[in-house]
Amino acid sequence: MFQKILVANRGEIALRIICACKELGIATVAVYSEADRNSLHVRFADEAVCIGPPRSSESYLNIPQVISAAEITNVDAIHPGYGFLSENANFAKVCEASEITFIGPTAEVIEMMGEKDRARREVKAAGLPTVPGSDGIVEGEDQLAKEATKIGYPLILKAVAGGGGRGMRIVRKRDELLSMYQTARSEAQQAFGTPDVYAEKFIEHPRHIEFQVLGDQHGKVIHLGERECTIQRRHQKLLEESPSPAMDAKSRKELGAKVVRALEKIGYTNAGTVEFLMDEDGSIYFIEMNTRIQVEHPVTELVTGVDLIKAQIRIAAGERLEEAVGEMTFSGHAIECRINAEDPDTFVPSAGRITTFQAPGGTGVRVDSAAYADAVIPPYYDSMIAKLIVKGRDRAEAIGRMKRALEMFVIEGIKTSIPLHRKILADPDFSAGKFDTHFIEKLLGTNGK
Ligand code: ADP
């Protein structure tokens, strides 16, 4: 087992990883930017190294700085969390070259899944159903026209290097095709440094359903059930739950077995998430794979009893899944609300000083956060400041528990998305489990916002 791990992240996930290390008896090193000097991940790590100015490009994304911090403090491994360097294959390679274990899959697999058109081809060959679309990059206008005829309308153009819900364009009719292609390419170039896009059938009313997986370094992969992440705004997840109200035991077993087989074929190691869209008739299609721990991992932890971060660390240290995971039984229902520092009506980020921070507690409530009263939320990073997660014996109990926990969560000094979550939880279609990715638009529309 590792003696010391560097946590290459900030905020709640850095703290979450530090908690797991403490429980495993592993020493920790935090890295931080000048804006994060007073952060809790710095306070609770055994050592901390400042890696640069506030901007992520100069600190949390600065590979030479992170690696120097790891070398100075003599760590055995680096946990990248999510975002920042977590899906950067080059970073995984640099770790390997520096003889530091990267806690995640191999650089080759990160690279494969990071090219979204290639990921589609690979998982299709390994037996997963993919959204009908182009087999690779759409190279030029002739191919574009051919693919559009094959796929039909509406279709969606997606950046090969896309992520975070960005770099997507829907094309509804033939005469928009060329201009949308050009816009998608230039947006992709700007956001991701490459203009390449691929095309997929646009599914009008999908649900987003994803499988959590773990693979060890001995060739074995397991799945830990699915998460429902359909409640999104601008393709960004707001609320997640497990299990999905749209999956039954039979479909879970069938798709779960396919996911496991495909990833064993690919040689997947460590934690990962296989994302699917489900259309109105219940057909399910792969869209992408994330080769890291996800923001929404706690809902899976609550229904399986597995500590996913500890499992990641143990797998990276060479343990077999049987040891790394232990007993796993599915029980109950879990929901997570992402609490963002933003105006709940306009969604404008709301940085600044938190004056009151009173987190709810009691049976079945978990709060993952690095925020506290008097903390200053800097404007430089993601606006998510807390995750409120509840577990109930069934979905109805989890909804009731989440409603009261949201009511008892007091954050003052900045604006947060708590009022939006209260609206979601109060909606009858949400309670009935009847929704698609347009739920939020409809919810805000009917409220005149
Ligand atoms: P990212 O890597 O940016 O998260 P994804 O491929 O995971 O991109 O897609 C993010 C979201 O965009 C999905 O959850 C879904 O809401 C929407 N989306 C993506 N592909 C399609 C599609 N073919 N049809 C309809 N919606 C889609």
Side-chain angles (χ1 to χ4, degrees):
M1 185 44 77
F2 307 118
Q3 301 293 309
K4 207 196 262 189
I5 293 177
L6 181 139
V7 182
N9 216 299
R10 65 181 300 282
E12 69 85 21
I13 193 63
L15 202 53
R16 168 76 189 86
I17 298 162
I18 290 169
C19 291
C21 290
K22 281 186 189 292
E23 291 178 20
L24 287 169
I26 300 170
T28 49
V29 177
V31 290
Y32 62 98
S33 74
E34 284 160 13
D36 281 339
R37 242 171 235 294
N38 299 319
S39 297
L40 289 190
H41 76 286
V42 176
R43 185 180 302 184
F44 288 117
D46 297 300
E47 292 169 69
V49 182
C50 181
I51 50 165
R55 280 170 50 160
S56 336
S57 56
E58 295 175 58
S59 51
Y60 298 105
L61 288 171
N62 185 332
I63 296 178
Q65 285 287 60
V66 174
I67 295 290
S68 312
E71 284 182 336
I72 296 165
T73 53
N74 204 20
V75 300
D76 315 302
I78 296 185
H79 196 308
Y82 53 69
F84 295 129
L85 297 170
S86 61
E87 290 177 295
N88 184 319
N90 182 40
F91 180 62
K93 281 184 199 155
V94 176
C95 286
E96 198 183 329
S98 315
E99 292 180 12
I100 297 166
T101 304
F102 173 82
I103 301 177
T106 60
E108 291 69 38
V109 170
I110 297 175
E111 211 157 61
M112 173 200 294
M113 297 301 178
E115 293 164 35
K116 295 175 75 170
D117 62 312
R118 188 171 154 214
R120 273 169 56 85
R121 285 195 301 279
E122 299 278 355
V123 303
K124 194 172 167 188
L128 289 181
T130 53
V131 184
S134 60
D135 278 332
I137 299 163
V138 179
E139 312 255 21
E141 292 173 16
D142 288 348
Q143 199 198 335
L144 176 70
K146 276 190 206 133
E147 295 292 353
T149 311
K150 200 177 75 193
I151 300 167
Y153 294 92
L155 62 83
I156 182 166
L157 296 169
K158 297 169 76 170
V160 161
R166 291 175 306 148
M168 289 184 271
R169 284 276 156 180
I170 302 158
V171 188
R172 298 217 162 257
K173 33 189 202 308
R174 173 82 183 87
D175 53 358
E176 295 172 353
L177 187 62
L178 217 54
S179 65
M180 286 297 190
Y181 178 63
Q182 277 147 4
T183 319
R185 280 176 59 85
S186 66
E187 270 184 16
Q189 173 70 48
Q190 275 215 324
F192 310 107
T194 157
D196 294 340
V197 297
Y198 64 107
E200 263 178 16
K201 174 176 141 78
F202 180 69
I203 299 169
E204 291 277 9
H205 297 284
R207 297 178 81 115
H208 175 121
I209 292 173
E210 58 184 36
F211 271 75
Q212 174 69 53
V213 298
L214 285 172
D216 66 18
Q217 296 182 47
H218 308 277
K220 188 171 175 191
V221 175
I222 55 166
H223 79 81
L224 293 91
E226 82 283 359
R227 293 183 287 256
E228 165 88 56
C229 309
T230 300
I231 307 295
Q232 308 178 345
R233 180 179 169 268
R234 296 203 175 151
H235 308 306
Q236 298 239 31
K237 299 164 189 166
L238 286 173
L239 176 151
E240 305 94 348
E241 55 186 307
S242 183
S244 160
M247 292 278 283
D248 55 25
K250 185 168 168 274
S251 45
R252 176 174 308 116
K253 198 169 165 204
E254 282 172 9
L255 186 57
K258 275 190 195 165
V259 166
V260 166
R261 263 202 307 277
L263 293 184
E264 283 187 347
K265 231 179 201 170
I266 286 166
Y268 196 84
T269 51
N270 218 285
T273 297
V274 187
E275 298 193 331
F276 295 91
L277 291 184
M278 181 190 265
D279 72 13
E280 279 166 294
D281 71 15
S283 306
I284 225 169
Y285 308 101
F286 168 89
I287 44 168
E288 68 160 351
M289 171 151 201
N290 290 322
T291 53
R292 54 169 161 82
I293 195 74
Q294 307 253 118
V295 171
E296 59 273 24
H297 76 274
V299 292
T300 300
E301 295 189 323
L302 293 189
V303 296
T304 59
V306 175
D307 184 318
L308 284 166
I309 306 284
K310 281 190 197 165
Q312 284 193 290
I313 296 170
R314 290 174 165 220
I315 286 168
E319 285 187 16
R320 289 182 180 274
L321 276 171
E322 296 78 37
E323 291 169 86
V325 171
E327 192 68 18
M328 179 171 74
T329 44
F330 292 93
S331 82
H333 195 99
I335 305 179
E336 171 182 278
C337 289
R338 298 189 186 196
I339 313 294
N340 296 333
E342 64 190 18
D343 186 300
D345 296 318
T346 62
F347 299 96
V348 172
S350 176
R353 186 177 298 275
I354 296 177
T355 52
T356 310
F357 189 85
Q358 179 63 48
T363 307
V365 177
R366 164 172 165 182
V367 178
D368 281 18
S369 177
Y372 57 93
D374 218 31
V376 174
I377 303 300
Y380 312 103
Y381 314 109
D382 191 89
S383 63
M384 195 186 70
I385 54 160
K387 303 188 305 205
L388 174 59
I389 314 113
V390 301
K391 183 185 180 183
R393 64 179 181 181
D394 53 24
R395 190 166 186 268
E397 188 176 61
I399 290 176
R401 189 159 278 160
M402 183 58 92
K403 281 184 180 165
R404 73 97 176 141
L406 284 166
E407 187 189 333
M408 296 170 85
F409 206 155
V410 186
I411 304 176
E412 286 167 352
I414 56 165
K415 289 183 178 166
T416 77
S417 51
I418 291 175
L420 174 64
H421 283 296
R422 295 183 69 178
K423 263 186 216 164
I424 299 171
L425 270 289
D427 185 86
D429 285 339
F430 178 76
S431 313
K434 281 195 216 132
F435 45 77
D436 59 40
T437 53
H438 305 289
F439 175 85
I440 293 290
E441 285 157 43
K442 275 195 251 162
L443 182 77
L444 300 182
T446 49
N447 284 308
K449 299 274 160 60

